Amino acid sequence: LKFPTMQWMLLLIILLTLHLLLLPTTATATVTASNTNGVCIDIVGWADSRGRTCQFYSENKEERCSMLGDDGFNLGHVANTACCVCNGGVLTQHMIHPQA
């Protein structure tokens, strides 16, 4: 299969862009809640379709989670499923020890 040089470059750019978009992020988990059932962890690297992270929602939980929490679907989640502060996130039974 032979492609002219310009087509190869365009294909390479597209493939690299897709690869970078699908790479897992190196962000650390944010532990925002703890109870007798375990520890809640925000979905690592999640931000809504406008780039707002769980930190944004935690700054005004009552208003932002209720008014915006079901909007901004991205990476399979909205704030109400991705952020502990909005009753989302992942509940784990394991203790998480922050690195010093």
Side-chain angles (χ1 to χ4, degrees):
L1 191 62
K2 187 173 180 179
F3 289 98
T5 306
M6 186 58 82
Q7 287 175 330
W8 270 111
M9 293 298 287
L10 182 58
L11 181 61
L12 181 62
I13 290 169
I14 292 169
L15 290 174
L16 286 173
T17 302
L18 287 173
H19 177 70
L20 291 174
L21 289 173
L22 298 175
L23 278 176
T25 64
T26 56
T28 57
T30 303
V31 178
T32 57
S34 180
N35 60 35
T36 57
N37 296 323
V39 175
C40 185
I41 302 171
D42 293 333
I43 300 297
V44 176
W46 180 84
D48 68 17
S49 60
R50 295 185 180 181
R52 300 176 295 209
T53 65
C54 293
Q55 177 64 39
F56 168 83
Y57 288 91
S58 71
E59 291 167 1
N60 188 347
K61 172 187 171 179
E62 290 77 22
E63 183 175 315
R64 291 179 178 174
C65 290
S66 64
M67 293 180 67
L68 304 171
D70 287 322
D71 296 332
F73 186 80
N74 192 28
L75 300 175
H77 291 280
V78 292
N80 288 343
T81 62
C83 304
C84 295
V85 69
C86 296
N87 297 318
V90 178
L91 193 61
T92 180
Q93 299 298 321
H94 304 286
M95 284 301 296
I96 298 173
H97 301 285
Q99 295 178 351

PDB file of all heavy atoms in Angstrom, residues 6-38:
ATOM      1  N   MET A   6       2.218  13.511   1.453  1.00  0.00           N
ATOM      2  CA  MET A   6       1.271  14.376   2.163  1.00  0.00           C
ATOM      3  C   MET A   6       0.173  13.554   2.836  1.00  0.00           C
ATOM      4  O   MET A   6      -0.229  13.857   3.963  1.00  0.00           O
ATOM      5  CB  MET A   6       0.644  15.391   1.194  1.00  0.00           C
ATOM      6  CG  MET A   6      -0.236  16.416   1.900  1.00  0.00           C
ATOM      7  SD  MET A   6       0.621  17.364   3.157  1.00  0.00           S
ATOM      8  CE  MET A   6       1.399  18.592   2.167  1.00  0.00           C
ATOM      9  N   GLN A   7      -0.303  12.511   2.197  1.00  0.00           N
ATOM     10  CA  GLN A   7      -1.330  11.662   2.793  1.00  0.00           C
ATOM     11  C   GLN A   7      -0.769  10.921   4.007  1.00  0.00           C
ATOM     12  O   GLN A   7      -1.460  10.757   5.003  1.00  0.00           O
ATOM     13  CB  GLN A   7      -1.871  10.669   1.765  1.00  0.00           C
ATOM     14  CG  GLN A   7      -2.761  11.332   0.734  1.00  0.00           C
ATOM     15  CD  GLN A   7      -3.203  10.377  -0.345  1.00  0.00           C
ATOM     16  OE1 GLN A   7      -2.496   9.433  -0.676  1.00  0.00           O
ATOM     17  NE2 GLN A   7      -4.390  10.615  -0.893  1.00  0.00           N
ATOM     18  N   TRP A   8       0.473  10.478   3.948  1.00  0.00           N
ATOM     19  CA  TRP A   8       1.098   9.813   5.100  1.00  0.00           C
ATOM     20  C   TRP A   8       1.197  10.760   6.280  1.00  0.00           C
ATOM     21  O   TRP A   8       0.939  10.393   7.413  1.00  0.00           O
ATOM     22  CB  TRP A   8       2.496   9.296   4.744  1.00  0.00           C
ATOM     23  CG  TRP A   8       2.500   7.910   4.213  1.00  0.00           C
ATOM     24  CD1 TRP A   8       2.779   7.530   2.949  1.00  0.00           C
ATOM     25  CD2 TRP A   8       2.204   6.709   4.934  1.00  0.00           C
ATOM     26  NE1 TRP A   8       2.682   6.171   2.821  1.00  0.00           N
ATOM     27  CE2 TRP A   8       2.328   5.633   4.037  1.00  0.00           C
ATOM     28  CE3 TRP A   8       1.838   6.445   6.251  1.00  0.00           C
ATOM     29  CZ2 TRP A   8       2.107   4.315   4.407  1.00  0.00           C
ATOM     30  CZ3 TRP A   8       1.629   5.119   6.623  1.00  0.00           C
ATOM     31  CH2 TRP A   8       1.760   4.086   5.706  1.00  0.00           C
ATOM     32  N   MET A   9       1.597  11.989   5.993  1.00  0.00           N
ATOM     33  CA  MET A   9       1.730  12.962   7.075  1.00  0.00           C
ATOM     34  C   MET A   9       0.372  13.252   7.726  1.00  0.00           C
ATOM     35  O   MET A   9       0.267  13.317   8.940  1.00  0.00           O
ATOM     36  CB  MET A   9       2.342  14.272   6.541  1.00  0.00           C
ATOM     37  CG  MET A   9       3.775  14.126   6.079  1.00  0.00           C
ATOM     38  SD  MET A   9       4.875  13.631   7.404  1.00  0.00           S
ATOM     39  CE  MET A   9       4.956  15.126   8.322  1.00  0.00           C
ATOM     40  N   LEU A  10      -0.648  13.418   6.889  1.00  0.00           N
ATOM     41  CA  LEU A  10      -1.976  13.672   7.417  1.00  0.00           C
ATOM     42  C   LEU A  10      -2.472  12.494   8.244  1.00  0.00           C
ATOM     43  O   LEU A  10      -3.005  12.669   9.346  1.00  0.00           O
ATOM     44  CB  LEU A  10      -2.957  13.971   6.280  1.00  0.00           C
ATOM     45  CG  LEU A  10      -4.387  14.314   6.688  1.00  0.00           C
ATOM     46  CD1 LEU A  10      -4.410  15.512   7.612  1.00  0.00           C
ATOM     47  CD2 LEU A  10      -5.242  14.551   5.463  1.00  0.00           C
ATOM     48  N   LEU A  11      -2.261  11.285   7.751  1.00  0.00           N
ATOM     49  CA  LEU A  11      -2.654  10.083   8.490  1.00  0.00           C
ATOM     50  C   LEU A  11      -1.895   9.984   9.813  1.00  0.00           C
ATOM     51  O   LEU A  11      -2.482   9.685  10.856  1.00  0.00           O
ATOM     52  CB  LEU A  11      -2.414   8.840   7.637  1.00  0.00           C
ATOM     53  CG  LEU A  11      -2.795   7.510   8.271  1.00  0.00           C
ATOM     54  CD1 LEU A  11      -4.278   7.466   8.595  1.00  0.00           C
ATOM     55  CD2 LEU A  11      -2.412   6.361   7.348  1.00  0.00           C
ATOM     56  N   LEU A  12      -0.607  10.260   9.795  1.00  0.00           N
ATOM     57  CA  LEU A  12       0.200  10.217  11.017  1.00  0.00           C
ATOM     58  C   LEU A  12      -0.287  11.243  12.035  1.00  0.00           C
ATOM     59  O   LEU A  12      -0.419  10.946  13.224  1.00  0.00           O
ATOM     60  CB  LEU A  12       1.670  10.466  10.672  1.00  0.00           C
ATOM     61  CG  LEU A  12       2.640  10.438  11.838  1.00  0.00           C
ATOM     62  CD1 LEU A  12       2.631   9.061  12.506  1.00  0.00           C
ATOM     63  CD2 LEU A  12       4.039  10.789  11.375  1.00  0.00           C
ATOM     64  N   ILE A  13      -0.604  12.440  11.592  1.00  0.00           N
ATOM     65  CA  ILE A  13      -1.105  13.483  12.493  1.00  0.00           C
ATOM     66  C   ILE A  13      -2.436  13.061  13.115  1.00  0.00           C
ATOM     67  O   ILE A  13      -2.651  13.220  14.316  1.00  0.00           O
ATOM     68  CB  ILE A  13      -1.241  14.826  11.745  1.00  0.00           C
ATOM     69  CG1 ILE A  13       0.142  15.370  11.428  1.00  0.00           C
ATOM     70  CG2 ILE A  13      -2.048  15.829  12.562  1.00  0.00           C
ATOM     71  CD1 ILE A  13       0.138  16.543  10.478  1.00  0.00           C
ATOM     72  N   ILE A  14      -3.314  12.508  12.317  1.00  0.00           N
ATOM     73  CA  ILE A  14      -4.607  12.054  12.825  1.00  0.00           C
ATOM     74  C   ILE A  14      -4.430  10.942  13.854  1.00  0.00           C
ATOM     75  O   ILE A  14      -5.030  10.968  14.929  1.00  0.00           O
ATOM     76  CB  ILE A  14      -5.526  11.605  11.672  1.00  0.00           C
ATOM     77  CG1 ILE A  14      -5.932  12.815  10.832  1.00  0.00           C
ATOM     78  CG2 ILE A  14      -6.757  10.866  12.200  1.00  0.00           C
ATOM     79  CD1 ILE A  14      -6.615  12.463   9.529  1.00  0.00           C
ATOM     80  N   LEU A  15      -3.581   9.965  13.537  1.00  0.00           N
ATOM     81  CA  LEU A  15      -3.353   8.854  14.467  1.00  0.00           C
ATOM     82  C   LEU A  15      -2.718   9.315  15.769  1.00  0.00           C
ATOM     83  O   LEU A  15      -3.101   8.872  16.848  1.00  0.00           O
ATOM     84  CB  LEU A  15      -2.507   7.768  13.806  1.00  0.00           C
ATOM     85  CG  LEU A  15      -3.200   6.985  12.701  1.00  0.00           C
ATOM     86  CD1 LEU A  15      -2.213   6.041  12.021  1.00  0.00           C
ATOM     87  CD2 LEU A  15      -4.388   6.227  13.239  1.00  0.00           C
ATOM     88  N   LEU A  16      -1.754  10.203  15.695  1.00  0.00           N
ATOM     89  CA  LEU A  16      -1.116  10.716  16.911  1.00  0.00           C
ATOM     90  C   LEU A  16      -2.102  11.520  17.754  1.00  0.00           C
ATOM     91  O   LEU A  16      -2.110  11.428  18.978  1.00  0.00           O
ATOM     92  CB  LEU A  16       0.099  11.569  16.561  1.00  0.00           C
ATOM     93  CG  LEU A  16       1.324  10.805  16.098  1.00  0.00           C
ATOM     94  CD1 LEU A  16       2.398  11.765  15.618  1.00  0.00           C
ATOM     95  CD2 LEU A  16       1.851   9.907  17.199  1.00  0.00           C
ATOM     96  N   THR A  17      -2.935  12.302  17.108  1.00  0.00           N
ATOM     97  CA  THR A  17      -3.943  13.085  17.832  1.00  0.00           C
ATOM     98  C   THR A  17      -4.925  12.162  18.551  1.00  0.00           C
ATOM     99  O   THR A  17      -5.227  12.361  19.728  1.00  0.00           O
ATOM    100  CB  THR A  17      -4.700  14.019  16.867  1.00  0.00           C
ATOM    101  OG1 THR A  17      -3.757  14.876  16.235  1.00  0.00           O
ATOM    102  CG2 THR A  17      -5.738  14.843  17.607  1.00  0.00           C
ATOM    103  N   LEU A  18      -5.398  11.142  17.859  1.00  0.00           N
ATOM    104  CA  LEU A  18      -6.315  10.192  18.489  1.00  0.00           C
ATOM    105  C   LEU A  18      -5.645   9.467  19.646  1.00  0.00           C
ATOM    106  O   LEU A  18      -6.244   9.264  20.693  1.00  0.00           O
ATOM    107  CB  LEU A  18      -6.819   9.176  17.458  1.00  0.00           C
ATOM    108  CG  LEU A  18      -7.823   9.710  16.451  1.00  0.00           C
ATOM    109  CD1 LEU A  18      -8.108   8.664  15.391  1.00  0.00           C
ATOM    110  CD2 LEU A  18      -9.099  10.131  17.141  1.00  0.00           C
ATOM    111  N   HIS A  19      -4.377   9.097  19.456  1.00  0.00           N
ATOM    112  CA  HIS A  19      -3.641   8.400  20.515  1.00  0.00           C
ATOM    113  C   HIS A  19      -3.533   9.278  21.759  1.00  0.00           C
ATOM    114  O   HIS A  19      -3.759   8.816  22.874  1.00  0.00           O
ATOM    115  CB  HIS A  19      -2.256   8.010  20.003  1.00  0.00           C
ATOM    116  CG  HIS A  19      -1.396   7.355  21.023  1.00  0.00           C
ATOM    117  ND1 HIS A  19      -1.643   6.085  21.487  1.00  0.00           N
ATOM    118  CD2 HIS A  19      -0.309   7.791  21.694  1.00  0.00           C
ATOM    119  CE1 HIS A  19      -0.728   5.768  22.383  1.00  0.00           C
ATOM    120  NE2 HIS A  19       0.090   6.797  22.533  1.00  0.00           N
ATOM    121  N   LEU A  20      -3.199  10.554  21.567  1.00  0.00           N
ATOM    122  CA  LEU A  20      -3.072  11.467  22.705  1.00  0.00           C
ATOM    123  C   LEU A  20      -4.403  11.707  23.395  1.00  0.00           C
ATOM    124  O   LEU A  20      -4.463  11.843  24.616  1.00  0.00           O
ATOM    125  CB  LEU A  20      -2.466  12.792  22.248  1.00  0.00           C
ATOM    126  CG  LEU A  20      -1.003  12.729  21.829  1.00  0.00           C
ATOM    127  CD1 LEU A  20      -0.568  14.068  21.254  1.00  0.00           C
ATOM    128  CD2 LEU A  20      -0.116  12.339  22.991  1.00  0.00           C
ATOM    129  N   LEU A  21      -5.478  11.748  22.632  1.00  0.00           N
ATOM    130  CA  LEU A  21      -6.794  11.954  23.234  1.00  0.00           C
ATOM    131  C   LEU A  21      -7.246  10.757  24.051  1.00  0.00           C
ATOM    132  O   LEU A  21      -7.995  10.888  25.009  1.00  0.00           O
ATOM    133  CB  LEU A  21      -7.843  12.246  22.151  1.00  0.00           C
ATOM    134  CG  LEU A  21      -7.721  13.602  21.472  1.00  0.00           C
ATOM    135  CD1 LEU A  21      -8.701  13.695  20.306  1.00  0.00           C
ATOM    136  CD2 LEU A  21      -7.970  14.724  22.461  1.00  0.00           C
ATOM    137  N   LEU A  22      -6.797   9.570  23.677  1.00  0.00           N
ATOM    138  CA  LEU A  22      -7.247   8.361  24.350  1.00  0.00           C
ATOM    139  C   LEU A  22      -6.301   7.886  25.445  1.00  0.00           C
ATOM    140  O   LEU A  22      -6.610   6.934  26.151  1.00  0.00           O
ATOM    141  CB  LEU A  22      -7.447   7.235  23.324  1.00  0.00           C
ATOM    142  CG  LEU A  22      -8.519   7.518  22.274  1.00  0.00           C
ATOM    143  CD1 LEU A  22      -8.548   6.411  21.241  1.00  0.00           C
ATOM    144  CD2 LEU A  22      -9.872   7.686  22.910  1.00  0.00           C
ATOM    145  N   LEU A  23      -5.152   8.544  25.598  1.00  0.00           N
ATOM    146  CA  LEU A  23      -4.214   8.158  26.649  1.00  0.00           C
ATOM    147  C   LEU A  23      -4.806   8.438  28.022  1.00  0.00           C
ATOM    148  O   LEU A  23      -5.446   9.468  28.217  1.00  0.00           O
ATOM    149  CB  LEU A  23      -2.911   8.950  26.537  1.00  0.00           C
ATOM    150  CG  LEU A  23      -1.888   8.469  25.539  1.00  0.00           C
ATOM    151  CD1 LEU A  23      -0.719   9.441  25.516  1.00  0.00           C
ATOM    152  CD2 LEU A  23      -1.405   7.087  25.861  1.00  0.00           C
ATOM    153  N   PRO A  24      -4.579   7.540  28.984  1.00  0.00           N
ATOM    154  CA  PRO A  24      -5.029   7.852  30.346  1.00  0.00           C
ATOM    155  C   PRO A  24      -4.217   9.020  30.893  1.00  0.00           C
ATOM    156  O   PRO A  24      -3.058   9.177  30.558  1.00  0.00           O
ATOM    157  CB  PRO A  24      -4.748   6.563  31.128  1.00  0.00           C
ATOM    158  CG  PRO A  24      -3.828   5.770  30.282  1.00  0.00           C
ATOM    159  CD  PRO A  24      -3.955   6.253  28.869  1.00  0.00           C
ATOM    160  N   THR A  25      -4.859   9.822  31.700  1.00  0.00           N
ATOM    161  CA  THR A  25      -4.154  10.969  32.268  1.00  0.00           C
ATOM    162  C   THR A  25      -3.275  10.525  33.422  1.00  0.00           C
ATOM    163  O   THR A  25      -3.444   9.452  33.989  1.00  0.00           O
ATOM    164  CB  THR A  25      -5.155  12.014  32.794  1.00  0.00           C
ATOM    165  OG1 THR A  25      -5.880  11.424  33.856  1.00  0.00           O
ATOM    166  CG2 THR A  25      -6.083  12.489  31.700  1.00  0.00           C
ATOM    167  N   THR A  26      -2.338  11.363  33.772  1.00  0.00           N
ATOM    168  CA  THR A  26      -1.459  11.061  34.894  1.00  0.00           C
ATOM    169  C   THR A  26      -1.919  11.785  36.149  1.00  0.00           C
ATOM    170  O   THR A  26      -1.184  11.889  37.108  1.00  0.00           O
ATOM    171  CB  THR A  26      -0.014  11.476  34.563  1.00  0.00           C
ATOM    172  OG1 THR A  26      -0.012  12.850  34.214  1.00  0.00           O
ATOM    173  CG2 THR A  26       0.546  10.648  33.417  1.00  0.00           C
ATOM    174  N   ALA A  27      -3.129  12.298  36.126  1.00  0.00           N
ATOM    175  CA  ALA A  27      -3.659  13.008  37.288  1.00  0.00           C
ATOM    176  C   ALA A  27      -3.824  12.048  38.460  1.00  0.00           C
ATOM    177  O   ALA A  27      -4.053  10.862  38.277  1.00  0.00           O
ATOM    178  CB  ALA A  27      -5.007  13.630  36.949  1.00  0.00           C
ATOM    179  N   THR A  28      -3.688  12.576  39.637  1.00  0.00           N
ATOM    180  CA  THR A  28      -3.857  11.747  40.819  1.00  0.00           C
ATOM    181  C   THR A  28      -5.317  11.760  41.256  1.00  0.00           C
ATOM    182  O   THR A  28      -6.054  12.685  40.963  1.00  0.00           O
ATOM    183  CB  THR A  28      -2.980  12.264  41.976  1.00  0.00           C
ATOM    184  OG1 THR A  28      -3.331  13.615  42.221  1.00  0.00           O
ATOM    185  CG2 THR A  28      -1.512  12.164  41.625  1.00  0.00           C
ATOM    186  N   ALA A  29      -5.708  10.740  41.954  1.00  0.00           N
ATOM    187  CA  ALA A  29      -7.071  10.654  42.455  1.00  0.00           C
ATOM    188  C   ALA A  29      -7.274  11.672  43.567  1.00  0.00           C
ATOM    189  O   ALA A  29      -6.386  11.925  44.361  1.00  0.00           O
ATOM    190  CB  ALA A  29      -7.346   9.253  42.977  1.00  0.00           C
ATOM    191  N   THR A  30      -8.439  12.243  43.622  1.00  0.00           N
ATOM    192  CA  THR A  30      -8.790  13.195  44.668  1.00  0.00           C
ATOM    193  C   THR A  30      -9.766  12.526  45.615  1.00  0.00           C
ATOM    194  O   THR A  30     -10.850  12.130  45.218  1.00  0.00           O
ATOM    195  CB  THR A  30      -9.447  14.449  44.072  1.00  0.00           C
ATOM    196  OG1 THR A  30      -8.560  15.019  43.117  1.00  0.00           O
ATOM    197  CG2 THR A  30      -9.761  15.457  45.152  1.00  0.00           C
ATOM    198  N   VAL A  31      -9.351  12.369  46.850  1.00  0.00           N
ATOM    199  CA  VAL A  31     -10.221  11.782  47.854  1.00  0.00           C
ATOM    200  C   VAL A  31     -11.007  12.914  48.482  1.00  0.00           C
ATOM    201  O   VAL A  31     -10.435  13.817  49.074  1.00  0.00           O
ATOM    202  CB  VAL A  31      -9.407  11.023  48.923  1.00  0.00           C
ATOM    203  CG1 VAL A  31     -10.326  10.453  49.978  1.00  0.00           C
ATOM    204  CG2 VAL A  31      -8.573   9.935  48.278  1.00  0.00           C
ATOM    205  N   THR A  32     -12.324  12.878  48.308  1.00  0.00           N
ATOM    206  CA  THR A  32     -13.123  14.000  48.794  1.00  0.00           C
ATOM    207  C   THR A  32     -14.104  13.625  49.880  1.00  0.00           C
ATOM    208  O   THR A  32     -14.724  14.480  50.461  1.00  0.00           O
ATOM    209  CB  THR A  32     -13.897  14.649  47.637  1.00  0.00           C
ATOM    210  OG1 THR A  32     -14.700  13.664  47.022  1.00  0.00           O
ATOM    211  CG2 THR A  32     -12.972  15.268  46.619  1.00  0.00           C
ATOM    212  N   ALA A  33     -14.287  12.347  50.123  1.00  0.00           N
ATOM    213  CA  ALA A  33     -15.250  11.960  51.142  1.00  0.00           C
ATOM    214  C   ALA A  33     -14.835  10.624  51.752  1.00  0.00           C
ATOM    215  O   ALA A  33     -14.226   9.799  51.098  1.00  0.00           O
ATOM    216  CB  ALA A  33     -16.642  11.836  50.541  1.00  0.00           C
ATOM    217  N   SER A  34     -15.175  10.444  52.979  1.00  0.00           N
ATOM    218  CA  SER A  34     -14.887   9.192  53.654  1.00  0.00           C
ATOM    219  C   SER A  34     -16.022   8.909  54.619  1.00  0.00           C
ATOM    220  O   SER A  34     -16.538   9.814  55.254  1.00  0.00           O
ATOM    221  CB  SER A  34     -13.565   9.300  54.412  1.00  0.00           C
ATOM    222  OG  SER A  34     -13.280   8.098  55.065  1.00  0.00           O
ATOM    223  N   ASN A  35     -16.432   7.642  54.681  1.00  0.00           N
ATOM    224  CA  ASN A  35     -17.464   7.269  55.628  1.00  0.00           C
ATOM    225  C   ASN A  35     -17.243   5.817  56.046  1.00  0.00           C
ATOM    226  O   ASN A  35     -16.255   5.208  55.675  1.00  0.00           O
ATOM    227  CB  ASN A  35     -18.867   7.509  55.049  1.00  0.00           C
ATOM    228  CG  ASN A  35     -19.114   6.696  53.786  1.00  0.00           C
ATOM    229  OD1 ASN A  35     -18.642   5.568  53.660  1.00  0.00           O
ATOM    230  ND2 ASN A  35     -19.843   7.261  52.862  1.00  0.00           N
ATOM    231  N   THR A  36     -18.153   5.262  56.776  1.00  0.00           N
ATOM    232  CA  THR A  36     -17.975   3.896  57.263  1.00  0.00           C
ATOM    233  C   THR A  36     -18.032   2.873  56.139  1.00  0.00           C
ATOM    234  O   THR A  36     -17.601   1.752  56.305  1.00  0.00           O
ATOM    235  CB  THR A  36     -19.063   3.554  58.305  1.00  0.00           C
ATOM    236  OG1 THR A  36     -20.342   3.733  57.713  1.00  0.00           O
ATOM    237  CG2 THR A  36     -18.933   4.426  59.534  1.00  0.00           C
ATOM    238  N   ASN A  37     -18.573   3.258  54.971  1.00  0.00           N
ATOM    239  CA  ASN A  37     -18.652   2.337  53.844  1.00  0.00           C
ATOM    240  C   ASN A  37     -17.395   2.334  52.992  1.00  0.00           C
ATOM    241  O   ASN A  37     -17.251   1.512  52.103  1.00  0.00           O
ATOM    242  CB  ASN A  37     -19.852   2.689  52.966  1.00  0.00           C
ATOM    243  CG  ASN A  37     -21.153   2.498  53.709  1.00  0.00           C
ATOM    244  OD1 ASN A  37     -21.298   1.581  54.498  1.00  0.00           O
ATOM    245  ND2 ASN A  37     -22.086   3.400  53.475  1.00  0.00           N
ATOM    246  N   GLY A  38     -16.498   3.265  53.178  1.00  0.00           N
ATOM    247  CA  GLY A  38     -15.276   3.329  52.391  1.00  0.00           C
ATOM    248  C   GLY A  38     -14.876   4.759  52.091  1.00  0.00           C
ATOM    249  O   GLY A  38     -15.340   5.696  52.716  1.00  0.00           O
TER     250      GLY A  38
END
